[in-house]
Amino acid sequence: MGAKVKGAGTDIIEIEGVKKLKDASYNIMPDRIETGTFLCVAAMNGGNIKIKGANYNHITPVIHKLEEAGCKLKFEKNEIELQAPRRLKAVDLKTMPYPGFPTDMQSIFTTSLTLAKGTSIVVENLFENRYKYTQELVRMGAKISIEGKTAVVKGVRKLYGTTVKATDLRGGAALVMAGVSAKGSTIVENVEYILRGYDNFDQKLRELGIDIQLKKTN
């Protein structure tokens, strides 16, 4: 477009103004966290899913952990297909800066592991207070203990529906995931956190055959 910008990959970005920018065409990259979320929804429920408009290279660490947990994945141009086992296997993971395992996938993947066979160890290396959602999962029957930046997740056979509260975007999406897998009905409050990060989240879940209704409050 004709902009004068330098410093990519450094701590300082320098921008020199120009009189005019040129017209250009650009394709916005797929949302890697949304892609990972729907892969985990299918994985947690022993299902199959094909996601179009996705880029495998953007979520390689998530893909590797899904494979380690027992999922089979196929890749075509801009498509990812996942076939999950009847029950996931426990895996360990640590969040790291890109290109490591993304911190925004931590709550999503950890929720998948609540129903996995065995004990998983999750380490959150980037941010504090990212385990608030686990308190709500415990209320649904999950077995999770937190010590500092480490979560120990002992897989259970079932989660049970109840009323839970989202306290952030990804943790809220994780609670919806848990509700999808839980026995009985689940109500997730503070849904506004989730809606700011997922486009038509409830509609896409319904397309997967999930009975979900969005009720907005004023």
Side-chain angles (χ1 to χ4, degrees), residues 134-150:
T134 61
Q135 300 173 17
E136 303 298 285
L137 290 177
V138 169
R139 296 181 61 241
M140 299 178 71
K143 292 184 178 180
I144 306 173
S145 58
I146 306 297
E147 185 173 343
K149 62 182 183 179
T150 300

Side-chain angles (χ1 to χ4, degrees), residues 191-192 215-218:
V191 70
E192 60 273 9
K215 296 182 179 179
K216 295 183 180 180
T217 57
N218 295 328

Side-chain angles (χ1 to χ4, degrees), residues 41-217:
V41 169
M44 187 177 185
N45 290 280
N48 302 332
I49 191 172
K50 178 183 285 188
I51 301 178
K52 298 181 179 181
N55 190 321
Y56 160 84
N57 293 311
H58 293 170
I59 55 169
T60 302
V62 177
I63 295 295
H64 289 167
K65 287 301 176 180
L66 286 168
E67 291 175 330
E68 187 179 338
C71 296
K72 296 180 180 179
L73 291 106
K74 297 180 181 179
F75 311 101
E76 296 182 9
K77 184 178 180 181
N78 299 323
E79 289 187 1
I80 301 174
E81 184 174 356
L82 176 143
Q83 180 178 352
R86 293 182 63 183
R87 190 180 185 193
L88 296 176
K89 296 183 292 185
V91 298
D92 298 338
L93 65 89
K94 297 179 180 180
T95 64
M96 299 293 289
Y98 187 85
F101 193 96
T103 183
D104 276 357
M105 278 299 301
Q106 181 260 108
S107 57
I108 304 297
F109 209 101
T110 300
T111 299
S112 298
L113 296 174
T114 61
L115 295 179
K117 183 178 180 180
T119 299
S120 304
I121 306 296
V122 178
V123 180
E124 173 55 63
N125 286 313
L126 299 184
F127 294 103
E128 297 180 356
N129 300 320
R130 292 215 83 169
Y131 288 130
K132 290 182 179 179
Y133 69 95
T134 61
Q135 300 173 17
E136 303 298 285
L137 290 177
V138 169
R139 296 181 61 241
M140 299 178 71
K143 292 184 178 180
I144 306 173
S145 58
I146 306 297
E147 185 173 343
K149 62 182 183 179
T150 300
V152 179
V153 185
K154 296 182 179 179
V156 297
R157 284 288 186 176
K158 290 183 181 180
L159 297 176
Y160 298 90
T162 187
T163 299
V164 293
K165 293 183 179 181
T167 59
D168 62 81
L169 167 55
R170 305 306 175 184
L175 294 177
V176 173
M177 277 182 55
V180 169
S181 303
K183 182 179 180 180
S185 298
T186 298
I187 297 174
V188 181
E189 298 180 343
N190 298 340
V191 70
E192 60 273 9
Y193 285 115
I194 306 168
L195 298 181
R196 69 179 179 84
Y198 291 89
D199 183 42
N200 296 321
F201 194 35
D202 57 314
Q203 178 182 329
K204 292 173 182 176
L205 289 172
R206 281 196 295 273
E207 291 174 2
L208 296 176
I210 296 166
D211 183 5
I212 182 171
Q213 299 296 325
L214 174 63
K215 296 182 179 179
K216 295 183 180 180
T217 57

